[in-house]
Amino acid sequence: MTNIGRRTFLGAVGLTVASAALATPAGAATFGVTSAGGFFTVDTGAGVVFKVNQTNGDVTSLRFNGVELQSQSRFSHVESGLGAGTTVTASQVGQFVVVTETATNWYGSGTIVHYLVARNGDPAIYMATFVDSLGAGELRWIQEFDRTVITGMNTDADIKGGTAIESTDIFLVNGITRSKYYGNHRARELTVGGVTGAGVGAYIVYGNRESSSGGPFYRDIEQQGTETTIQLYNYLWSGHNDTEAQRLDVLYGPYALIITSGPAPAVPDLSFMATLGLRGTVPATGRGFVVGKGSGVPIGSVVGWANSTAQYWTTTGTNSNFSSPAMKPGTYTQTLYQNELPVATRTATVTAGVTTTGQNLTANFALPATIFRIGEWDGTPTSFRNGGNLTVMHPSDVRMASWGPVTYVVGSSTAADFPAYQWVGVNNPTTVTFTMTAAQIAARTVRIGITASYANGRPQIKVNDWTSSIPAPPTQPKSRSLTIGTYRGNNVQFTYAVPATAFVAGTNTLTINVVSGSSGTEFLSPGVAYDCVELF
C-alpha cells in the first residue's frame, strides 16, 4: 500500500448575504452578488448573470451577454422546486459566490441543501446537492429554457405537438414516438451534453456520479422539449428502473451548467468545489485508490465498485491493469464486466490516503461447448431484432421491425431474427428449431439470460413434448422498464435441466413463453429483455 499525495485546500466560504448587496450594483459587468427585491443576482463576470428567488430557490433569470435564456413560464430548480419556506442565503469570498438553498421537512421529514456556485470569469453555474438520511423525491436539476431562444435539442426527446400514448411521458409526434426517456446515454458516458440556439449553447457537465445509483450502465432522462420550453436535466436519482436504493447522507455532485457561444465546452476540473465547505464534501485527502488487473475480458472492459454510500467505475488498460478514481473510504463490491455482464466479483476495502494494490479479478463466466447459442453473453440485447432502437423509441414505434412471434432456425437465422424483447401480450411465444444427431442426444441444459424483466415476466420453456417448471420471479426494479428507453435491470440467468428423453434425432423445437402471475396489455404486459439463449 502506498500513500496518496496531499493537497492544500482553501477555507470554507463565509460572509452571508441577508438583504443588502455585497457586490457591485446589479447590471454592472463585474463579478459579484447583489440582493434586491427578493432576489439574489449573481454576475459571473463572464457574460452569464443569473437570478435566484430568495423564497424558494428557483432560478428565475439566466442571461448570456444580455439575452434571456431562462423560460419565464417555468423556472429552473432542483427536484420539482424546493417551495416556499426554503432558506436561501448567498456568500461571497474572493473569487467565489455560493448560494445555499436549504429545505427542511422535505416530504415531511428530510433535509435537502442545494448549492449554486459562481467562479469569477467562468460563464457557468456550478452545483452540488446534499441529501440527508431521510431521502428525497426525484433528485434532479431541471433547467428550463425559452424555446424561442434555445432551439436545438435531441429530437427523440422533443414531445412538442405530440399526443400521449403511455402514461403522461411517452408521446406520438408526427407518427413516431418520442419521450424524455429516449436518446439517453449510459451513466459512464455522461460527461457533457446540452442544447443550442443562435450563438449560444447550454451544457450540463454531469460531473461526479459517485452518489447516484444504478451503476455504470444505468440510463435516465437528459432532455425534453415541450410546447414552450426546452428542458435540460441532470438526474441525480430517480428510481426509474433503478437497480439500487437512493444513496443518503451524501453530497451529489459537483456538476455544472456552462453557457458558451455554441460549441460544447471541454470537461472542466471541478475539484475546486471541494474547497468551499459544502456539506458532505469528502476532500482528496480523505479518499483512497484501488488498483489491480482485470483478466479474461477485452482491454477497455469496465471495473465497478458499489456500496450503500458510493459507486465508481473505470476501465482496464494496458496488460489489463486498472486504477480506480479517488474513492470514499469503505468496503465495496468490486465487479468486472464483459460489456455489461458481470463476470467476476470480489470485496475491496478503501482506506483514506492509501492506494490498495493487488485487487485482481478474473472472468469466471462459464462458456461451455454448445449445440447452439443465440446472441452473445454480454449483458445486452442489442444484437437482437430491434436492438439498435431500444433506447431511442417506444417498442410500438412504426420504425421497429415486427416483434413476432418469431421462429428462429438454428443454422440459417441470425441474431437479428431473434426478438430483443418478448411480452406476454405482444409476441409470445418465441420458437427455436434445431437439429440433433443421435450421438448428441443426452441430458442437456438450456440457459437463458435476461437483462431486465417487467411485471415479474420470466421464461418457461418447452422442448418438444417436455415442459419445464415455472421459474421463480427474478429480482428486478419495480417500475416501467422496456418502454422507457432502457434494457438495464438485473442480469439473470435461468437454467433448465432437460432430460435426454425430451430430444429426438432430427428436428427439435424449443418454445419459450414469457409467464407471470401479473397482468398487463401489449407493451405493458409482463416481458423480458434477452441477453443470450443457448443449449449445451
Side-chain angles (χ1 to χ4, degrees), residues 31-323:
F31 175 76
V33 58
T34 61
S35 176
F39 297 91
F40 292 119
T41 299
V42 180
D43 192 326
T44 65
V48 172
V49 179
F50 63 96
K51 186 178 287 190
V52 181
N53 187 307
Q54 293 175 355
T55 300
N56 59 22
D58 287 357
V59 170
T60 61
S61 176
L62 175 64
R63 291 183 174 271
F64 179 58
N65 294 334
V67 176
E68 182 65 74
L69 309 182
Q70 171 65 50
S71 167
Q72 294 305 295
S73 61
R74 295 172 61 97
F75 295 136
S76 300
H77 42 246
V78 72
E79 288 270 341
S80 296
L82 297 181
T86 300
T87 300
V88 184
T89 62
S91 306
Q92 182 182 347
V93 169
Q95 302 301 301
F96 299 100
V97 168
V98 180
V99 178
T100 303
E101 305 173 356
T102 304
T104 57
N105 295 320
W106 187 245
Y107 282 93
S109 54
T111 296
I112 290 180
V113 185
H114 183 66
Y115 300 97
L116 304 167
V117 176
R119 182 167 63 171
N120 191 5
D122 284 357
I125 306 174
Y126 297 96
M127 290 179 263
T129 311
F130 176 84
V131 178
D132 75 356
S133 60
L134 295 173
E138 287 197 23
L139 187 60
R140 61 198 174 178
W141 177 259
I142 307 176
Q143 185 64 47
E144 303 270 4
F145 292 107
D146 183 338
R147 186 154 192 159
T148 66
V149 180
I150 297 294
T151 55
M153 64 167 296
N154 168 29
T155 56
D156 294 322
D158 190 355
I159 65 171
K160 182 178 181 180
T163 301
I165 61 168
E166 182 180 301
S167 188
T168 56
D169 51 25
I170 298 174
F171 291 77
L172 195 65
V173 181
N174 297 325
I176 62 175
T177 55
R178 292 181 177 176
S179 173
K180 59 187 178 183
Y181 292 108
Y182 298 154
N184 45 343
H185 300 88
R186 299 178 299 179
R188 65 182 296 253
E189 297 156 350
L190 290 176
T191 53
V192 176
V195 294
T196 58
V200 62
Y203 297 89
I204 289 286
V205 175
Y206 294 95
N208 189 346
R209 313 306 292 175
E210 70 177 4
S211 296
S212 297
S213 58
F217 312 116
Y218 181 67
R219 300 173 187 270
D220 215 331
I221 297 165
E222 295 176 42
Q223 299 180 17
Q224 180 173 243
T226 73
E227 299 302 314
T228 60
T229 69
I230 285 180
Q231 300 166 331
L232 187 58
Y233 293 85
N234 184 15
Y235 254 89
L236 304 164
W237 186 83
S238 70
H240 297 148
N241 208 53
D242 201 335
T243 57
E244 298 178 288
Q246 185 178 18
R247 292 184 163 93
L248 302 174
D249 259 339
V250 292
L251 185 70
Y252 287 76
Y255 51 103
L257 174 68
I258 297 181
I259 310 301
T260 75
S261 59
V267 178
D269 181 358
L270 301 179
S271 62
F272 74 91
M273 292 282 282
T275 71
L276 301 179
L278 310 184
R279 185 175 175 183
T281 294
V282 179
T285 52
R287 296 173 177 267
F289 293 89
V290 170
V291 299
K293 183 183 293 287
S295 304
V297 292
I299 298 298
S301 294
V302 174
V303 179
W305 295 265
N307 64 15
S308 62
T309 60
Q311 63 172 8
Y312 305 93
W313 48 81
T314 190
T315 56
T316 58
T318 304
N319 298 321
S320 299
N321 294 326
F322 64 81
S323 179

Side-chain angles (χ1 to χ4, degrees), residues 381 385 390 395 403 419-423 427 482-483 486-487 528-530:
R385 179 175 293 186
L390 303 177
W403 287 103
Y421 292 169
Q422 185 177 328
W423 297 265
N427 57 340
L482 309 183
T483 61
T486 183
Y487 54 78
V528 300
Y530 283 110

